[in-house]
Amino acid sequence: MLSMLFSMSALRDWAKLLILGSFFETCRRLLSSLWRSTIDSFFITASFEEDDTSYQWVMLWLSKQQSWGQARNVQISTSSFGLNSPAHIVPGEETDHLDNSRKLAYLPAISESYTMWYKRHWMRVTRVNENTGWQGQKFETLQLRILARNNSILNNILLDAKKDYTAAQSNCITVHVSDSNNCWRQLAVRPKRPLQSIILDPGIQDLVVGDARDFLASKNWYSDRGIPFRRGYLLYGAPGSGKTSLIHAIAAELDLDVYIVSLSRSNLDDTGLSELIADLPEKCIALMEDIDAAFHHGLSRESNDPSGSLSSDSGKSDTQAPLVYSPGAPPAPSPSRVSLSGLLNALDGIGAQEGRILFATTNKYSALDPALCRPGRMDLHIEFKLASKYQAEELFKRFYLPSPSELAANTDTPIDDCNSDASSVDSGYADVQNDLIDLGSTGVVSVQATPSQSIPSDAEKLQASRPAFAGTSHRQRGPKLANKRIIMLAADFAAIIPDRQLSMAALQGYLMTHKTTPVEAVRDVSAWVAKELEEKERR
């Protein structure tokens, strides 16, 4: 049968065709591979994924390149990337009299390739949107292809992009959150908050900031002694006492990004939490707010100890300490699948990230498990109490003493000094079209005629026709007071505030209703304090 098959002329022709075809296909592939290798030897290709920070760097750098102004097919964007210097201004926009708070930018259009020159090097830019990931989600990839033999040009681009991004972010901090795929996403960019804007009892700021700064500078010390390079801070105490504000200010002071870990997210489990913690960058702040709520849902934010201070049974577990549940409703089931053991392993397990600073906040210190509070997980515990008289006085000064920017912009001499009669011009009222706007303790505005004017016969009807509102109008301006006078008012204000019974948030909310009338704020504070304490007792 074999001799018969090989004796067929058609089969011999097929064999010759197969051999020749294989030879030519092999040659084609070799030549094609050689051609690609030759071309690639003259080009440098760099790819940037959307979920990586370097993608933001390069996109900002591209948006500032002047060559995009000549492109024929571009994407117009008002995205500022959350930065102060967001993009290349469209020609003519700088002379526009409209609101230019959102700048226009030329960006590469998706699925398009562009060519440009950068430092005498030819470059091709491609932006691709692919359906990858879970549930058909789209992810963008940016590719730069540079005609150069030396990688120094790519290094220059990356350094320039990082430099521009860092300069634009010099006064901001970036906040990240996790998505449903357990990946970090940039949520927002917030202006830095100075530490001086946080009013706490003396020593707390210096303690936390100094300890965190010393930790960041001690990596070699931890490494030499075989200690995991991690630090945890537990901030506990009354709501509205400044815990989150202090974390914001510390992130700005240490120039660290904030990564919010939400333990109550519905589809987060122990594995996902471990992945999130392991993916944290080396230097950052991981924030877990209301850490007790992840395991004790249905608890009210009020407890038997309103200050949230550490009582005699603070070291006991939540099964030994009495807990206050929301009245009228059973505890809601937790949507989170994170267990306490999973949280503990994520914080100091073998896969935990090193170099990060963990801040956890809670209003119920006694509800936390002792295993969560031990050193190595929460190394430093700081109690935040309700407002003291010192804090009330400093907050009053912060509201009414002129800031450096206000001093630079306004050189008018105050019409009042510490020796003037408070019953004369120092009334705290505003002169608006010969009427005095009187904001009483109820927050309802009434309009009265000045003493120099005769009251019209229909004054009551005119006053009743005016709209009533709560708060302070921006038109309302009190007379300028000397600094000594404001300091005296601050002392009077602090003397009326009861010590450790009201939160700083409540005091700030009250002063916001009198933000331009300090004398009025001191006059009405007694009635406001009595009302607040009565409502607190009723709750």
Side-chain angles (χ1 to χ4, degrees), residues 30 35 94 145 174 185 195 249 283 333 346 375 383 390 481 505:
L30 289 175
W35 172 255
E94 62 276 3
R145 192 170 175 85
T174 306
R185 298 289 182 182
L195 273 174
K283 288 187 177 182
E383 181 182 7
Y390 166 81
L481 304 179

Side-chain angles (χ1 to χ4, degrees), residues 261-274 277 288 291-297 334-348 369 371-372 377:
V261 183
S262 179
L263 298 178
S264 58
R265 205 185 72 199
S266 59
N267 58 344
L268 182 65
D269 55 9
D270 293 344
T271 302
L273 178 62
S274 299
I277 300 299
M288 296 182 182
I291 193 171
D292 59 291
F295 309 104
H296 302 283
H297 288 268
S334 171
S336 175
R337 293 178 292 174
V338 176
S339 64
L340 179 60
S341 61
L343 175 60
L344 299 181
N345 291 330
L347 293 181
D348 63 350
D369 192 281
L372 183 62
R377 292 167 182 156

Side-chain angles (χ1 to χ4, degrees), residues 202-218:
I204 293 182
Q205 290 184 7
D206 297 337
L207 171 65
V208 181
V209 177
D211 187 87
R213 184 178 284 114
D214 181 73
F215 163 74
L216 294 176
S218 305

Side-chain angles (χ1 to χ4, degrees), residues 127-380:
R127 185 180 173 198
V128 181
N129 197 344
E130 299 178 348
N131 290 327
T132 58
W134 295 96
Q135 301 177 353
Q137 293 183 352
K138 294 183 178 180
F139 289 89
E140 293 184 6
T141 301
L142 185 68
Q143 186 180 85
L144 301 183
R145 192 170 175 85
I146 309 168
L147 180 60
R149 293 281 295 174
N150 196 330
N151 283 19
S152 60
I153 183 63
L154 177 61
N155 298 336
N156 292 336
I157 292 176
L158 296 177
L159 292 177
D160 289 346
K162 184 178 181 180
K163 181 180 178 180
D164 291 344
Y165 190 91
T166 303
Q169 204 185 17
S170 58
N171 295 320
C172 302
I173 61 171
T174 306
V175 181
H176 301 263
V177 295
S178 59
D179 59 12
S180 57
N181 296 326
N182 295 327
C183 298
W184 291 111
R185 298 289 182 182
Q186 178 175 316
L187 174 64
V189 177
R190 296 287 180 257
K192 289 184 176 180
R193 182 170 183 176
L195 273 174
Q196 295 76 12
S197 66
I198 311 299
I199 302 175
L200 300 174
D201 289 324
I204 293 182
Q205 290 184 7
D206 297 337
L207 171 65
V208 181
V209 177
D211 187 87
R213 184 178 284 114
D214 181 73
F215 163 74
L216 294 176
S218 305
K219 183 177 181 180
N220 293 334
W221 187 92
Y222 278 79
S223 177
D224 293 341
R225 288 155 180 80
I227 302 174
F229 186 50
R230 294 187 291 266
R231 192 71 172 168
Y233 299 88
L234 178 60
L235 311 184
Y236 67 95
S241 55
K243 298 184 289 293
T244 303
S245 299
L246 178 61
I247 296 171
H248 186 178
I250 291 177
E253 181 71 16
L254 303 180
D255 199 19
L256 299 175
D257 291 340
V258 178
Y259 290 76
I260 300 177
V261 183
S262 179
L263 298 178
S264 58
R265 205 185 72 199
S266 59
N267 58 344
L268 182 65
D269 55 9
D270 293 344
T271 302
L273 178 62
S274 299
E275 292 176 356
L276 288 176
I277 300 299
D279 288 341
L280 289 171
E282 183 177 354
K283 288 187 177 182
C284 71
I285 288 179
L287 174 59
M288 296 182 182
E289 292 190 291
D290 294 330
I291 193 171
D292 59 291
F295 309 104
H296 302 283
H297 288 268
L299 291 174
S300 67
R301 292 184 65 86
E302 297 295 332
S303 64
N304 294 330
D305 184 6
S307 64
S309 59
L310 179 60
S311 59
S312 59
D313 60 345
S314 60
K316 300 178 182 180
S317 65
D318 60 317
T319 58
Q320 297 170 311
L323 301 178
V324 180
Y325 290 88
S326 301
S334 171
S336 175
R337 293 178 292 174
V338 176
S339 64
L340 179 60
S341 61
L343 175 60
L344 299 181
N345 291 330
L347 293 181
D348 63 350
I350 191 172
Q353 177 62 285
E354 296 196 358
R356 53 94 181 130
I357 297 177
L358 172 67
F359 278 93
T361 66
T362 180
N363 299 324
K364 299 178 176 64
Y365 186 88
S366 59
L368 299 180
D369 192 281
L372 183 62
C373 303
R374 72 165 179 78
R377 292 167 182 156
M378 303 296 173
D379 302 280
L380 195 61

